[in-house]
Amino acid sequence: MAKEQLEVLHALDVAKTQWYHFTAIIISGMGFFTDAYDLFCISLVTKLLGRIYYHVDGAAKPGSLPPNVSAAVNGVALIGTLAGQLFFGWLGDKLGRKRVYGLTLMLMVLCSVCSGLSFGHDAKAVISTLCFFRFWLGFGIGGDYPLSATIMSEYASKKTRGAFIAAVFAMQGFGILGGGIFAIIMSTVFDAKFSAPAYQVDPIASTIPQADYLWRIILMVGALPAALTYYWRMKMPETARYTALVAKNAKQAASDMSKVLQVDLEAETQKIEKLDDGKPANSFGLFSSEFLRRHGLHLLGTASTWFLLDIAFYSQNLFQKDIFSAIGWIPPAKTMNAVQEVYRIARAQTLIALCSTVPGYWFTVAFIDKIGRFTIQLMGFFFMTVFMFAIAIPYKHWTHSENRIGFVVMYSFTFFFANFGPNATTFVVPAEIFPARFRSTCHGISAASGKLGAIIGAFGFLYLAQNQDKAKADAGYPAGIGVRNSLLVLGVVNFLGLLFTFLVPESKGKSLEEMSGENEIEEEEQEQ
């Protein structure tokens, strides 16, 4: 086999970092900002929804969402995301990245706004419409995963590609921060304007009628950053790799990239025909035996590592509330009014994001093209395993009040190494190692497998972590295996992630065509 690459793709591979790289990061990253904001801010307002719509007269504690309602409100967006990743991933390869890209954004903007509007006043109507629009919001967010990753990988040069894709993903950290900070500001404003007693003083007056607007405003503002980038998303040209290798239009690819790179590029129609001339590298279908031979293990690697990571990553929500209550960041619910509770939860989650989540993402951006994807992912899973076992084995020790700070430090390290580790690399690698005509689909499959893990992590563990004694389990839940055993299970999950990492190839410093074998031409073709 000889290797041959189109000039336009080679020009992109060796291009110096230019302004268009940064605009691409911001345009793609804003989708992720919105995605994180929307998926994250629901956890800020679930307590408030419980107080407003599930208040029980005479109860010692404020109203809270019943387990099945809580699972629906939190989980419906994840299910939508899973469906969106598969559907838009496939569509991105069929119609082109750019055409589908605007569609996912419109869906996110519309459903963000609609999730703050509800038909009817009773609990059932409000929760039903919230769940309906959050499913479709998730569907749009799901499309953003494969498309953003693919667009960024196809625009970037081979030297900085990892950092650029990771930078798009790292905007999630800012989305989480944005959500927390906005909720802090709004709840402070509401509390100053409409003062209310704590629940234990006056259960009814502690939830002001205006609180019903607070959660709606927090949810709806998620539409803003995405709406602001819509115009630029539509102005972005289709990626050269899609135009040349999938749509087979060398002329268009050369003309688009000449404008972007500001250099003259010639259209190499003959070379495209030669690359595509019935040769195995460019003619097999998805899930054909040839695909399985070349990329089957790679797809298993990217899908399984993302699946295992998200089980551990999303189960964090389990312990977050316990941790915050344990270290006194969130006092008992009855000692606060409804708006103060939103403030306390938002403050605690913003602090965690600031200390462990955001730095982890940017460590990945800084080092991914220096030490490589494989090393970062292996190291991340290794340390997550170590810290998870270090929390789980002496779990009794950590529950004593004098050891709380140590517990929070260990917990923060687990999530620092998730973000400076597999949480970022599982997003980057699937956008680099598959052929252009399957790239978006394969990324979608890997991402959807991750979301399946997220659903297991968020809900499976909610039931698993319940006390082994049914009497001590949370209201409405059956007995589980307890928090300590759940943490041990998570340690094993992280270790499995480390083992499956060995199926994933290293793509640092290589061109996309080299990784996918799309620049291979039979030798005799060369000699003629």
Side-chain angles (χ1 to χ4, degrees):
M1 291 278 182
K3 310 279 185 195
E4 192 162 331
Q5 193 182 21
L6 295 170
E7 188 200 351
V8 60
L9 304 188
H10 178 69
L12 280 168
D13 271 343
V14 298
K16 287 192 165 56
T17 300
Q18 294 172 29
W19 182 242
Y20 79 89
H21 285 123
F22 294 111
T23 53
I25 289 174
I26 290 165
I27 294 166
S28 306
M30 267 316 171
F32 268 88
F33 181 96
T34 305
D35 148 21
Y37 181 101
D38 287 328
L39 288 180
F40 170 84
C41 68
I42 194 72
S43 63
L44 301 177
V45 299
T46 42
K47 287 275 172 64
L48 184 58
L49 288 169
R51 284 191 186 231
I52 298 171
Y53 294 106
Y54 290 91
H55 173 75
V56 179
D57 283 329
K61 284 182 183 169
S64 65
L65 300 179
N68 58 341
V69 174
S70 177
V73 168
N74 286 303
V76 73
L78 293 176
I79 295 164
T81 306
L82 191 153
Q85 284 161 336
L86 292 170
F87 176 70
F88 286 116
W90 168 79
L91 208 60
D93 283 333
K94 280 280 167 284
L95 301 180
R97 331 297 191 212
K98 182 200 163 171
R99 285 173 70 180
V100 185
Y101 209 28
L103 193 63
T104 61
L105 197 74
M106 279 320 295
L107 199 54
M108 282 157 72
V109 170
L110 269 172
C111 295
S112 270
V113 173
C114 292
S115 58
L117 309 169
S118 49
F119 310 127
H121 293 291
D122 63 319
K124 201 169 184 182
V126 170
I127 299 294
S128 306
T129 47
L130 180 63
C131 287
F132 175 80
F133 286 118
R134 282 192 68 76
F135 173 83
W136 290 107
L137 172 65
F139 195 68
I141 286 172
D144 229 47
Y145 273 73
L147 292 167
S148 288
T150 303
I151 285 173
M152 202 61 238
S153 81
E154 293 183 343
Y155 263 109
S157 72
K158 59 185 180 185
K159 250 168 71 187
T160 54
R161 189 176 61 232
F164 286 172
I165 306 173
V168 168
F169 193 61
M171 292 296 276
Q172 273 197 325
F174 288 130
I176 293 173
L177 270 185
I181 291 167
F182 184 70
I184 288 172
I185 294 168
M186 290 312 295
S187 52
T188 309
V189 169
F190 270 68
D191 200 37
K193 195 113 174 70
F194 314 103
S195 59
Y199 183 86
Q200 58 193 13
V201 178
D202 186 341
I204 303 286
S206 71
T207 305
I208 51 170
Q210 292 84 352
D212 201 29
Y213 292 112
L214 178 60
W215 68 268
R216 295 168 194 274
I217 293 168
I218 291 173
L219 290 183
M220 288 163 91
V221 163
L224 270 179
L228 293 173
T229 54
Y230 182 74
Y231 171 76
W232 285 280
R233 261 197 198 197
M234 296 289 73
K235 294 272 284 185
M236 236 177 161
E238 181 56 86
T239 72
R241 288 184 158 92
Y242 184 85
T243 312
L245 298 173
V246 185
K248 308 280 179 256
N249 187 342
K251 208 168 165 191
Q252 186 64 47
S255 124
D256 284 346
M257 291 308 111
S258 296
K259 286 185 202 130
V260 169
L261 294 164
Q262 292 165 338
V263 289
D264 288 330
L265 297 165
E266 62 173 296
E268 300 165 293
T269 315
Q270 298 82 2
K271 205 184 273 188
I272 282 197
E273 283 161 9
K274 202 194 279 187
L275 277 169
D276 194 45
D277 202 11
K279 295 296 170 267
N282 294 302
S283 52
F284 57 88
L286 185 61
F287 302 131
S288 60
S289 57
E290 183 67 19
F291 176 86
L292 291 177
R293 188 179 69 76
R294 285 166 175 261
H295 301 292
L297 281 177
H298 297 167
L299 188 57
L300 174 65
T302 56
S304 60
T305 49
W306 205 335
F307 172 75
L308 292 161
L309 161 86
D310 271 7
I311 292 180
F313 195 75
Y314 277 80
S315 63
Q316 66 169 318
N317 305 336
L318 267 185
F319 322 115
Q320 220 159 37
K321 291 192 238 15
D322 303 337
I323 286 170
F324 296 154
S325 303
I327 54 177
W329 280 0
I330 299 179
K334 62 182 181 186
T335 62
M336 300 178 281
N337 67 38
V339 175
Q340 284 164 347
E341 191 173 30
V342 173
Y343 171 80
R344 288 297 187 123
I345 296 171
R347 192 182 67 170
Q349 296 201 352
T350 307
L351 279 169
I352 284 276
L354 209 53
C355 298
S356 69
T357 314
V358 175
Y361 283 125
W362 292 100
F363 264 78
T364 305
V365 173
F367 290 108
I368 192 163
D369 287 313
K370 292 186 176 66
I371 59 179
R373 291 76 166 138
F374 179 78
T375 313
I376 288 181
Q377 188 160 313
L378 208 60
M379 175 198 73
F381 270 128
F382 173 75
F383 282 114
M384 284 171 77
T385 309
V386 169
F387 285 116
M388 210 52 109
F389 282 132
I391 291 174
I393 294 165
Y395 184 67
K396 273 275 187 288
H397 166 83
W398 297 118
T399 52
H400 298 309
S401 55
E402 66 272 17
N403 304 324
R404 283 169 179 169
I405 299 301
F407 183 55
V408 173
V409 170
M410 303 288 273
Y411 176 82
S412 296
F413 268 124
T414 314
F415 290 99
F416 172 78
F417 281 109
N419 291 320
F420 180 32
N423 194 29
T425 52
T426 49
F427 177 78
V428 173
V429 175
E432 302 182 307
I433 61 177
F434 299 107
R437 64 189 186 284
F438 308 135
R439 190 168 288 136
S440 171
T441 307
C442 290
H443 194 287
I445 291 168
S446 307
S449 155
K451 274 295 166 280
L452 187 62
I455 292 163
I456 293 170
F459 303 108
F461 277 87
L462 237 148
Y463 287 88
L464 266 188
Q466 293 301 327
N467 201 300
Q468 286 156 307
D469 177 359
K470 171 99 175 72
K472 291 180 184 165
D474 291 349
Y477 287 96
I481 60 170
V483 174
R484 178 173 181 262
N485 292 341
S486 299
L487 285 163
L488 288 170
V489 171
L490 288 176
V492 173
V493 166
N494 289 333
F495 182 69
L496 286 174
L498 184 141
L499 297 180
F500 275 100
T501 297
F502 287 97
L503 293 175
V504 182
E506 178 57 78
S507 46
K508 177 178 78 131
K510 294 179 180 168
S511 85
L512 294 175
E513 288 66 45
E514 196 181 333
M515 286 306 298
S516 62
E518 284 167 295
N519 54 2
E520 292 171 4
I521 304 178
E522 299 290 344
E523 282 296 351
E524 64 271 18
E525 185 79 39
Q526 280 291 95
E527 286 158 13
Q528 284 171 14

